[in-house]
Amino acid sequence: MSPVGNLPQDQPLATTDNRHACPCGSGADFSDCCGPYLQGLSPAPTAAALMRSRYTAYTLRDAAYVLRTWHPSSRPPVLDLANDDSDWLGLALLNRERGQPDDTEGVVEFIARYRQGGSDRQLHEISRFVREDGCWLYLDGSAGTRKTRPGRNDPCSCGSGKKFKKCCGA
């Protein structure tokens, strides 16, 4: 598969240990989920799969993949994820409209949780996708972010399995 959007073919592809749970939260191994998309082995078959793989690319700081899957009409000229201090904590897909293999457009609503500068935050976005030449591309989205703080008895967002008050909230 050739890179989408006329980006140089020498842009790095994601390389990671394929024997771990995929960061997108699907429950599948990376090698059976987003890995093949990030490595350029196959295109994401649906808009939701592309959304999950782009989230995974953000967690891995794979700017090349994010740019390759961004529609040329709205893609920024550069994306620096190497200096991003966000710690991505989880992804929840809330709604999907169209975006199946035979569609030409789709919409995915999601919430991505992350920690930045010691504060837990949420990115809530409704993203639009288009399929061109058999490949789904991110077109644009309407987003909002907000700081969140778990309740004392909520699970800690760091993933320790402890209650917030006994972990990061102590």
Side-chain angles (χ1 to χ4, degrees):
M1 180 178 98
S2 65
V4 177
N6 300 323
L7 288 177
Q9 293 194 15
D10 61 349
Q11 297 244 356
L13 297 175
T15 56
T16 186
D17 176 12
N18 287 343
R19 300 277 185 228
H20 66 280
C22 190
C24 79
S26 68
D29 284 341
F30 178 76
S31 61
D32 296 327
C33 193
C34 296
Y37 312 141
L38 271 72
Q39 295 167 351
L41 302 176
S42 65
T46 65
L50 182 63
M51 173 59 241
R52 287 185 173 281
S53 68
R54 286 173 56 86
Y55 171 84
T56 296
Y58 275 98
T59 69
L60 299 174
R61 312 246 186 311
D62 185 351
Y65 179 79
V66 174
L67 289 170
R68 274 196 313 276
T69 58
W70 207 317
H71 195 273
S73 69
S74 58
R75 180 176 56 222
V78 69
L79 180 64
D80 181 13
L81 297 180
N83 297 316
D84 181 11
D85 68 345
S86 301
D87 184 19
W88 294 95
L89 305 172
L91 175 68
L93 270 58
L94 304 177
N95 191 28
R96 292 167 251 191
E97 297 174 16
R98 299 175 311 280
Q100 296 303 308
D102 293 331
D103 292 326
T104 57
E105 57 185 39
V107 176
V108 179
E109 180 180 7
F110 69 91
I111 292 178
R113 295 181 307 105
Y114 63 101
R115 180 173 294 131
Q116 188 176 49
S119 296
D120 286 355
R121 300 173 184 267
Q122 289 184 350
L123 170 65
H124 181 189
E125 182 170 317
I126 299 172
S127 299
R128 294 188 317 145
F129 297 86
V130 294
R131 189 169 60 85
E132 294 182 356
D133 299 324
C135 294
W136 283 102
L137 299 169
Y138 171 79
L139 183 59
D140 59 23
S142 58
T145 60
R146 64 180 178 152
K147 286 186 178 181
T148 60
R149 180 165 171 90
R152 290 176 37 81
N153 291 317
D154 289 340
C156 191
S157 59
C158 75
S160 68
K162 298 178 184 179
K163 289 184 179 183
F164 177 72
K165 67 182 177 187
K166 299 278 185 178
C167 191
C168 294

